[in-house]
Every structure is written in structure tokens, then in C-alpha cells.
Amino acid sequence: LLNLKGKVDSWLPAILTPPMLKLTQSTHTPELRSQCFVVVIAALFTSPEIVLQLLENTRFPNCQESVTSQLLCGWIENPDEMEGIHDRKISVLGICSLLQCSTALQLECVQKLIPVILPCMVTLLDQLIRAYEDNEGRDSESSENVSSVINTDDEFDSEYASKSIVSDGEDILDDDTDVKELKQNLKRAGVGEEEYSSGSSETEGDTLEKTELESEYETLVDVDRDYDEFVAFKMFMEAVNLHNPQLYDMLISQVTMEIRELMEGIIKVSNERWQQIQESKAGTLAAD
């Protein structure tokens, strides 16, 4: 959907019916629920008018309320259900796209959601800031470890070159000694035991970084800087303030002091990213 924006609109009913049906049912895992949401959000981001019309016209026997209301409320009222960088990013972009659609603003369920929309976006963007910082820290630590390993390669090679085979197929070291030596070598290289242990426990950072699927597959939204979620948030808020001040007042009127404080950091990051993109574009034009 994200790589073929506007080219698969005629297939959207067939694509969206399975995830929409799953989201109206209660018997599914949190992982499946978030994946289904991401499919619908991606479609809303690329073709909001068509998808909203589809949601409004869809009725399932097991669902008493509007599919539109159930899906939008389940998505926007539960930002913490989004995992990984991509899911949070497309969620922010999806909300920006949704609220710039005149059809959406006329829906009763959207009107009811307005007080929680800004807190939802701020929560997602704050999590993204921490996720990016966490990834940068991991990359930096990984580079340091690789450098340490390279610097000790000669020492390791010399150490292992001095070892000989006692008899046919029989090493000097037994298995326990090999494991002990491996741990010592890793420690000397700057790699902690917890980093190579397969039994490490899951932490909060694990839910912020890229998911397994994200690590293996990228879309245009993930690699094209024109889809920067912080810049999209900045442009969205500025556009609403300028062209729809009533909606802007409704969005910010009920936010807490905590959300306002988080917004300050998000606005700073948004301005920095916008400036970086402008400088990059200027550099590209100058090179051409």
C-alpha cells in the first residue's frame, strides 16, 4: 500500500476486509491486532477518502457499532499498542492524513476523539524520539565493539596459532574450557555476556526499537525523508492553526501540562529535522 500509493485503490476492499473483520472480533493476539491496525492505517494514509467511505459502508454481523468508530477509537485511544519505529511512524502520518480529510471531520466518532488525538500523537512521537536515540546508542556501541574486536584480532590469532592438535581430531581444550575462553575473549573485546546470551530478558527498549519485520523489510515511508513524521506533525499543526483555528483550539484545549512539556521537545526535533531536510534539498540543487 505504501509503495503503490494510489495504484491499488480498486483493490482496497479486498485488501482491507480481512484486517477490518479481525479488528471487530475479540479473539486475536495483541500482535495480530497491531498488525491489522497498521494495514488499515497505511490505507488511510495513502487514500483517506476512499478508505473512510469503505469503513462507513462496511457492516459485519458480529459488530453492533460502526466499523469506522470501532477502528478509529481502537487505534487512536491506544497509542501504546503500536510497536517498533515503523508502526508508530505510520500511525502519526495516518492521523495527520485523517484530520486533513474533510470527510473525517464530519464524522461523529472523529469529533468525539479530538480531545485524545494530540495526546496520542505526542505519545507516539515521544516514543519515536527515544527509539531513535536508543538505536543511535546501539549503533555507536556496536561500532566501538567492532573496533575493539578488530584491534584484538592479531592477539587472538597469535594465541590460537600457538595451539596444536594432540591427536587425530582431538583438540587440546575441552568444551568447558572453550566456553570459558570464549567469554574471556568477548569480555576483552568489550562485549558483555548478556549481549550474546540467547536467554536475555525483554526490556522497554526492545519495544521501542525496530521489530523483526521492520529489520527485514522497508517501505518508501521508512527511507524517503519526504515522509518524516516530525515534519509532518509540524506542518499539520501549522496548517490547522492557520486554516482551521477552531479545530486547533479543540486539539490543544484539554491537553495536560505533561503533554505540553513533551510537545516542546517534539517541536524542537521537528524544527531541526525540517531544517536538515531543507539544507539537504538545497545541497542537492546546488550539486545539480
Side-chain angles (χ1 to χ4, degrees):
L1 290 173
L2 297 173
N3 289 346
L4 298 171
K5 184 176 181 179
K7 297 180 180 180
V8 292
D9 288 349
S10 60
W11 293 91
L12 286 176
I15 294 171
L16 295 181
T17 296
M20 288 193 303
L21 179 59
K22 283 293 183 182
L23 288 170
T24 62
Q25 299 171 343
S26 58
T27 55
H28 48 70
T29 64
E31 293 79 10
L32 177 59
R33 176 179 168 85
S34 64
Q35 289 168 6
C36 289
F37 267 125
V38 170
V39 174
V40 177
I41 295 167
L44 273 168
F45 170 61
T46 56
S47 305
E49 295 281 358
I50 296 174
V51 174
L52 283 173
Q53 183 178 3
L54 176 62
L55 293 177
E56 283 293 279
N57 294 335
T58 300
R59 292 291 183 274
F60 294 121
N62 63 310
C63 183
Q64 300 298 321
E65 61 181 326
S66 163
V67 173
T68 309
S69 176
Q70 188 167 355
L71 267 60
L72 294 185
C73 290
W75 163 32
I76 295 174
E77 290 180 344
N78 301 285
D80 288 332
E81 289 190 5
M82 295 293 115
E83 293 187 356
I85 291 175
H86 172 85
D87 293 2
R88 292 184 173 98
K89 178 173 184 173
I90 194 61
S91 190
V92 172
L93 294 174
I95 294 174
C96 292
S97 180
L98 176 70
L99 292 187
Q100 293 180 71
C101 176
S102 58
T103 302
L105 296 176
Q106 298 172 11
L107 298 176
E108 181 180 356
C109 63
V110 173
Q111 291 291 324
K112 291 181 178 179
L113 284 169
I114 285 177
V116 299
I117 284 175
L118 193 55
C120 172
M121 298 178 77
V122 169
T123 297
L124 292 166
L125 289 167
D126 179 62
Q127 290 171 344
L128 282 165
I129 290 175
R130 291 186 285 126
Y132 289 131
E133 290 175 347
D134 185 61
N135 280 352
E136 289 176 2
R138 288 174 185 267
D139 290 343
S140 176
E141 183 178 349
S142 176
S143 297
E144 291 175 0
N145 289 338
V146 169
S147 176
S148 178
V149 170
I150 292 174
N151 290 337
T152 55
D153 271 350
D154 291 340
E155 182 180 346
F156 289 166
D157 290 343
S158 175
E159 181 179 335
Y160 284 113
S162 67
K163 299 187 184 299
S164 60
I165 305 301
V166 174
S167 60
D168 293 342
E170 182 179 356
D171 291 343
I172 285 179
L173 300 178
D174 59 24
D175 291 343
D176 290 339
T177 306
D178 286 338
V179 172
K180 181 178 180 181
E181 183 173 297
L182 172 61
K183 291 181 178 180
Q184 291 174 342
N185 290 340
L186 287 170
K187 184 176 181 181
R188 290 163 63 187
V191 181
E193 181 175 351
E194 69 280 357
E195 294 182 44
Y196 66 84
S197 171
S198 60
S200 59
S201 60
E202 186 174 304
T203 63
E204 181 185 359
D206 296 325
T207 65
L208 292 176
E209 64 181 2
K210 287 185 176 181
T211 62
E212 183 177 351
L213 180 60
E214 290 176 68
S215 300
E216 299 175 354
Y217 180 76
E218 289 182 330
T219 69
L220 287 175
V221 168
D222 302 304
V223 298
D224 192 332
R225 297 189 70 177
D226 287 339
Y227 293 105
D228 187 286
E229 65 274 31
F230 290 90
V231 174
F233 174 75
K234 166 185 167 69
M235 303 303 290
F236 163 72
M237 293 299 292
E238 290 177 354
V240 172
N241 188 26
L242 180 62
H243 302 294
N244 194 344
Q246 182 179 3
L247 174 59
Y248 183 85
D249 290 341
M250 293 170 65
L251 286 170
I252 68 171
S253 62
Q254 299 183 41
V255 297
T256 63
M257 184 58 65
E258 179 184 4
I259 295 297
R260 291 179 183 273
E261 291 174 354
L262 289 175
M263 277 189 66
E264 292 180 4
I266 290 168
I267 291 171
K268 179 181 178 181
V269 172
S270 300
N271 289 330
E272 290 173 351
R273 289 203 174 196
W274 182 85
Q275 185 64 36
Q276 290 169 2
I277 291 174
Q278 298 308 307
E279 291 174 355
S280 176
K281 289 180 177 179
T284 302
L285 289 174
D288 293 340

